[in-house]
Amino acid sequence: MLLPRFLKIDLRRLILVLAVISVMATLGNSFYATYEAQRALLISNTLDANRVYAAKLAEMTNTMIQSSQSQLAYSAALLAPAMTDHNTLLSEVRRLQQQTATFNSVAIVNADAMVMAVYPDTLQIKGAKLTSQSAKLSITTHQPMITDPFVSLSGNYLISISYPIFDKEQTYLGYVTGTIYLQSQNMLSGILGQHYYRDGSSLYVVDRNRTRIYHPDNARVGEKIRDNAVVDKVLNGEEGALELTNDEGTDMLAGFAPIQQTHWGVVAQRPRTATLAGLDTQMMTVLFKLIPINLLILLFIWISAIFISRPLWQLANKAKLMDQQEALKNIARIRVWYFEAAQLKQAMLKGLGLLNTKIDKLHSDSHTDAMTGLANRRGMQQMLDHYQALGRPLAVIALDIDHFKQINDSFGHDVGDQVLSALASLMQQGARQADALCRSGGEEFLVLLPELPLHLAHEIAERLRQRVAAHPMPGTGHITISLGVAYWPGEGNDDLSAVLKQADKALYEAKHRGRNQTVVANDQGALIHDDAPPLLVAPHADTQAHVITG
């Protein structure tokens, strides 16, 4: 019952309804666009702020590391002539540790990996020989080093910055090293330990092995970070910003920057929800300001609809009947008195014309083989169904190219395609208007000859065989074809598909007998042997089959 009631709505009211929908859609779209623009701006600003913040922290960390190495380099120069003076060594490590808040502990190690002095010596390791990988690496490389984070004998998670000690003759004497505890208070933790927002934002640092070495939650220090696009980029030396979902499923806006001196990465991130917290209230204010002007627009549209309803109503009435054959004529008869309606009428006429043209083309394309221009299997089946329904006699020629696989193997599939197209052209040259030429698949073809007796179908097949054998094909030279001919008497006989099988059987017999032949099947599908009498075929259903060899 809804459809008839809907059809009775007059055009003026319909236009008003559409206008209301349009205005509301425009309002909604404007509101949504404004929301999206503000949202994108907030996200962009936060990403950029986090990027700048991460870059600043990376720069400060880089400067602090360089300063620490400079302090150690200065101490190394002072310690070179005093490696056997224990008081001097102890005094220097105490100075290094207490002078700034950079190091949690400082030690001097000789070339044999023995600790000569340490401050503070809470573990009492003075005189002990170090066996850690980092100690061995510092001694073997004789280079300034910043180790990857590791857990010390005391259980502290730390990094070590070392500088080699050489005497005047450049003999390696050992190294001076300062340790920075990643979970304790020091200058580095003061730089990296806090984010300037207090709304769930955080800042963390990863080393080159994807290990988290700084995080607001100490329990997460030392974790390995697996799938994280931000970490991938920052450890690749990139600086930038990215939206991502963290390990806890929270959408974050992250800025990142590399610390070049240590090959670490700094990531500053803020929850998306915190960034967008005040946006909803702001958008409600915008909405209340948009409503009055949109009401005035609706009133204006309603008044305008009264003046434009009549010609559009006529077009709409005819548009309901666009699926009828007379649609073009009916629309053409409508008189329109203003430009817009005239353009609409013209567009409808043009659209209907194009639609009909495209439907015809789509129907043709769906039944035509793109390569050869012949009917494809769908088109062939449609024609067979048509012939079956008519019940009129039909001759069938099945053919395919001899040794086509060798052509593809020797010359390539492109040449094979050219041969198929050339063969299709030869078939079309000798075809009647009523004949149907089909590509049934691969190198196989089918010719449907309505109202043609068997002996004439055989002659046509033989002429085609000779024409193909004499015609040089592109890229291959001369080829041959084998053909099978069968006949369907028409109404009251077997299904037409049985005749197709007879034609196929005759084709395979031609292949078996050496190819480049035409074999004719009788109405029972029997094949005539090589010793059969010469070709004198009468156009009757009981016609015997003959073989014509090339």
Side-chain angles (χ1 to χ4, degrees), residues 48 77 205 241 311 351 360 365:
D48 192 57
V205 182
D360 292 341
D365 291 345

Side-chain angles (χ1 to χ4, degrees), residues 129-148:
K129 188 168 184 177
L130 301 180
T131 59
S132 66
Q133 186 66 28
S134 60
K136 292 178 181 179
L137 199 59
S138 295
I139 291 174
T140 56
T141 59
H142 297 180
Q143 296 289 332
M145 284 190 58
I146 301 173
T147 66
D148 291 329

Side-chain angles (χ1 to χ4, degrees), residues 303-472:
I303 296 173
S304 301
I306 297 174
F307 296 98
I308 63 174
S309 59
R310 182 171 179 78
L312 292 180
W313 176 84
Q314 291 177 325
L315 288 173
N317 247 0
K318 299 303 179 183
K320 292 185 295 186
L321 307 175
M322 287 179 68
D323 56 340
Q324 297 182 0
Q325 292 183 348
E326 299 296 319
L328 276 172
K329 292 181 180 179
N330 291 336
I331 294 175
R333 293 193 191 104
I334 296 175
R335 295 183 179 181
V336 291
W337 55 269
Y338 57 91
F339 175 77
E340 288 78 5
Q343 291 296 101
L344 180 58
K345 171 185 172 181
Q346 199 65 26
M348 291 172 66
L349 293 173
K350 184 176 181 181
L352 274 175
L354 290 174
L355 180 61
N356 292 336
T357 301
K358 287 193 174 183
I359 289 174
D360 292 341
K361 186 177 185 304
L362 286 173
H363 182 270
S364 175
D365 291 345
S366 68
H367 291 75
T368 304
D369 176 57
M371 181 188 302
T372 61
L374 307 183
N376 59 17
R377 291 190 68 87
R378 180 182 295 175
M380 179 184 74
Q381 188 59 51
Q382 186 182 48
M383 287 183 282
L384 290 172
D385 293 342
H386 176 69
Y387 295 144
Q388 181 82 47
L390 291 177
R392 296 179 181 177
L394 178 72
V396 178
I397 302 174
L399 63 103
D400 79 358
I401 300 172
D402 297 331
H403 304 295
F404 186 70
K405 184 177 184 304
Q406 294 181 11
I407 294 175
N408 278 335
D409 293 343
S410 301
F411 302 100
H413 289 278
D414 290 342
V415 173
D417 292 345
Q418 294 176 19
V419 170
L420 293 173
S421 298
L423 175 58
S425 297
L426 290 175
M427 293 170 63
Q428 290 169 328
Q429 289 174 12
R432 303 175 302 167
Q433 186 174 359
D435 296 341
L437 308 179
C438 312
R439 182 186 177 192
S440 53
E443 72 275 20
E444 299 177 357
F445 296 82
L446 201 70
V447 182
L448 305 178
L449 305 168
E451 307 287 348
L452 195 72
L454 186 62
H455 74 285
L456 292 181
H458 176 268
E459 291 179 9
I460 290 174
E462 186 59 16
R463 284 200 301 269
L464 177 61
R465 182 188 66 78
Q466 294 171 359
R467 187 184 303 120
V468 171
H471 183 81

Side-chain angles (χ1 to χ4, degrees), residues 75-211:
S75 293
L78 294 178
L79 293 169
M83 285 296 287
T84 56
D85 187 346
H86 294 290
N87 290 331
T88 301
L89 298 181
L90 180 60
S91 174
E92 184 60 21
V93 295
R94 182 185 293 112
R95 182 191 67 81
L96 275 174
Q97 198 275 334
Q98 293 183 344
Q99 186 175 12
T100 65
T102 302
F103 302 116
N104 294 96
S105 66
V106 181
I108 298 172
V109 181
N110 67 14
D112 296 323
M114 182 178 293
V115 179
M116 303 299 294
V118 60
Y119 186 87
D121 192 7
T122 55
L123 295 180
Q124 298 183 352
I125 61 172
K126 179 181 177 182
K129 188 168 184 177
L130 301 180
T131 59
S132 66
Q133 186 66 28
S134 60
K136 292 178 181 179
L137 199 59
S138 295
I139 291 174
T140 56
T141 59
H142 297 180
Q143 296 289 332
M145 284 190 58
I146 301 173
T147 66
D148 291 329
F150 64 94
V151 179
S152 67
L153 294 175
S154 61
N156 289 313
Y157 193 56
L158 56 84
I159 62 169
S160 173
I161 303 175
S162 64
Y163 202 90
I165 302 173
F166 295 94
D167 62 13
K168 293 181 179 181
E169 287 75 26
Q170 294 302 305
T171 301
Y172 181 69
L173 304 178
Y175 63 89
V176 55
T177 179
T179 58
I180 299 175
Y181 296 167
L182 300 178
Q183 293 172 305
S184 300
Q185 290 297 319
N186 49 54
M187 186 180 292
L188 189 59
S189 66
I191 295 173
L192 301 175
Q194 293 287 344
H195 196 288
Y196 55 88
Y197 286 119
R198 299 294 183 268
D199 52 9
S201 301
S202 63
L203 180 125
Y204 66 88
V205 182
V206 293
D207 68 4
R208 57 186 172 185
N209 297 316
R210 306 180 69 90
T211 302

